[in-house]
Amino acid sequence: TVRELWVIIKPSLSSGEKENLIREASKVSTTLVVEPEDIELTRARSDRMDASRGGEPDILIVETIEDLVRAKEDGRITCFTLTVKNRGDEEAITEASESSADYVMVRFKDWKVIPLENLIAKIHGKSKLLTVASDVEESRLALETLEIGTDGIVVDIPDIEEINRIYEVMRRVKTRPAEIEEAERIELKTAEVVELKPIGSGARVCIDTCDLMREGEGLLVGCQSSGLFLVEAEVHKTPFVAPRPFRVNAGPVALYTLTPGGKTKYLSELKAGDEVLIVDREGRSRTATICRVKIEWRPLLLIEADCDGRRIKTIVQNAETIRLMTEAGSRSVKELSKGDKVLVRLEEEGGRHFGTLVKEEKVIEV
């Protein structure tokens, strides 16, 4: 189920401000929360669903169990709303869900994380749980809690730029299995290894994330932003080193890596708190936060490969634990030979300006 974005149109706004917010918010939202007297204005300016405490809205907002039961008897789509201040409020929300509320909209007064975890555990799959948020950080927290998150965000500010930022976060957060499976996939191709050359020591980067990667997952890195190799996380048991599934031994500081939003960054730019893009061999991707970036001087190996008539390159630490992804699995760089096939991402055209693709720009990287 797609997560929903609701936007509150506050009655304190002027008529012009309401019209502008309705028009702009309708581009990214699923539902507009309005006062009864603004339902007509909303329907004249938007094709989105409307929710209100009175009148004849698409979704009727109620504040008591009694009103909820009556509305359901009348066949209405309902949203039960409550500010969570204590355990009693949690119990009231659970009761509303058990009384067949279609939606539950919650605000949190002081404690936020633990009450939200409790509610997700109790009502997920019964009613759609929405949390009121006023910025990106609150929204992300709600969407990622317990790896399930809320079913939507209700934005309580009239700032269209922040609303758009929250929308982008909602598009990028993929914590539920269905979201990961249905996400737009990165096209990966096979490239043939044509050159392997030890090149001495250099500053290589290990990216330690706040996540645990599985076999077949890693980061896309490369010497050229237009040609990135899929390097697997350290997920395999070896005779001498324990698995470190949070880590990708990515390569030298000057390599590019693909990050959320389709941008690239140099490995040297990454730091704790930044986001990277975890990719699997099927092209499925998800976002992870960096815990630590560790730079050490190690022997390096240059790898060159051909794909669609183009030569692309990457450099990795010359050690058994670094593995490049293949269609069937992965292979240690110490076992790679000329003619082997590895997975890469190839960009068809354009160059990068501070990490952003500019299709019309001509850039040569060798």
Side-chain angles (χ1 to χ4, degrees), residues 107-122:
R107 293 177 183 267
F108 297 99
K109 189 164 185 180
D110 298 315
W111 283 45
K112 296 182 179 181
V113 177
I114 300 303
L116 180 56
E117 289 180 349
N118 293 342
L119 290 174
I120 291 172
K122 290 176 179 177

Side-chain angles (χ1 to χ4, degrees), residues 15 51 61 100 112 222 233-234 244 286-287 310 317 342 351:
S15 297
I61 299 174
S100 300
K112 296 182 179 181
E234 295 187 5
R244 295 183 176 90
R286 57 192 176 92
T287 300
R310 292 164 56 183
Q317 181 180 340
V342 296

Side-chain angles (χ1 to χ4, degrees), residues 37 51 62 85 122 125 156 179 221 237 276 309 315 321 339 348:
E37 59 268 24
V62 297
K85 303 179 291 294
K122 290 176 179 177
D156 192 25
E179 292 172 334
V221 297
K237 291 182 180 180
V276 289
I315 298 173
T321 52
E348 297 301 329

Side-chain angles (χ1 to χ4, degrees), residues 76-307:
R76 304 295 298 274
I77 300 174
T78 57
C79 175
F80 180 83
T81 184
L82 187 65
T83 298
V84 178
K85 303 179 291 294
N86 51 51
R87 290 294 295 272
D89 295 326
E90 281 186 18
E91 292 168 3
I93 290 170
T94 302
E95 183 182 355
S97 179
E98 292 172 349
S99 299
S100 300
D102 299 283
Y103 296 90
V104 172
M105 183 197 310
V106 297
R107 293 177 183 267
F108 297 99
K109 189 164 185 180
D110 298 315
W111 283 45
K112 296 182 179 181
V113 177
I114 300 303
L116 180 56
E117 289 180 349
N118 293 342
L119 290 174
I120 291 172
K122 290 176 179 177
I123 72 172
H124 177 66
K126 299 175 183 177
S127 300
K128 290 187 177 181
L129 177 60
L130 311 173
T131 54
V132 178
S134 57
D135 58 40
V136 166
E137 287 72 25
E138 287 184 2
S139 301
R140 185 192 301 276
L141 177 65
L143 293 166
E144 295 181 341
T145 298
L146 286 187
E147 297 184 77
I148 298 173
T150 61
D151 298 296
I153 298 295
V154 183
V155 184
D156 192 25
I157 53 169
D159 183 345
I160 192 62
E161 290 186 2
E162 189 69 9
I163 292 170
N164 285 332
R165 284 191 286 268
I166 292 171
Y167 170 71
E168 287 303 320
V169 166
M170 293 184 69
R171 289 182 60 227
R172 282 162 40 188
V173 168
K174 302 178 184 71
T175 59
R176 299 176 176 180
E179 292 172 334
I180 296 171
E181 188 62 34
E182 295 171 5
E184 182 178 350
R185 301 194 181 192
I186 293 171
E187 183 182 5
L188 299 177
K189 299 183 176 184
T190 57
E192 181 179 345
V193 176
V194 295
E195 188 67 45
L196 296 158
K197 179 182 178 182
I199 58 173
S201 294
R204 74 95 175 92
V205 180
C206 281
I207 305 298
D208 293 353
T209 70
C210 298
D211 208 329
L212 293 173
M213 286 171 271
R214 298 178 290 272
E215 187 174 337
E217 291 186 322
L219 299 180
L220 284 163
V221 297
C223 295
Q224 302 124 297
S225 61
S226 59
L228 304 175
F229 293 70
L230 189 52
V231 179
E232 191 173 29
E234 295 187 5
V235 294
H236 295 277
K237 291 182 180 180
T238 72
F240 301 101
V241 181
R244 295 183 176 90
F246 53 82
R247 170 176 294 172
V248 175
N249 188 327
V253 290
L255 291 189
Y256 293 100
T257 187
L258 189 65
T259 62
K263 294 186 176 183
T264 58
K265 284 188 176 181
Y266 297 120
L267 294 182
S268 63
E269 295 180 288
L270 300 177
K271 60 185 183 301
D274 286 351
E275 291 182 337
V276 289
L277 199 66
I278 297 174
V279 181
D280 72 11
R281 67 168 59 87
E282 303 299 326
R284 292 180 292 246
S285 65
R286 57 192 176 92
T287 300
T289 301
I290 295 173
C291 172
R292 169 179 51 251
V293 174
K294 188 168 73 166
I295 301 174
E296 298 167 307
W297 274 253
R298 294 290 186 268
L300 301 175
L301 176 70
L302 171 66
I303 301 171
E304 300 187 21
D306 284 345
C307 182

Side-chain angles (χ1 to χ4, degrees), residues 290-357:
I290 295 173
C291 172
R292 169 179 51 251
V293 174
K294 188 168 73 166
I295 301 174
E296 298 167 307
W297 274 253
R298 294 290 186 268
L300 301 175
L301 176 70
L302 171 66
I303 301 171
E304 300 187 21
D306 284 345
C307 182
D308 291 352
R310 292 164 56 183
R311 178 69 54 90
I312 58 176
K313 306 173 185 179
T314 194
I315 298 173
V316 297
Q317 181 180 340
N318 195 355
E320 291 85 355
T321 52
I322 291 80
R323 305 178 70 92
L324 295 188
M325 219 78 78
T326 67
E327 287 185 311
S330 63
R331 183 164 296 182
S332 168
V333 298
K334 296 294 285 185
E335 298 172 350
L336 274 182
S337 302
K338 293 180 182 180
D340 286 344
K341 303 292 179 61
V342 296
L343 292 178
V344 301
R345 175 185 184 266
L346 206 62
E347 207 160 68
E348 297 301 329
E349 57 184 358
R352 295 272 172 174
H353 180 70
F354 292 105
T356 300
L357 177 64

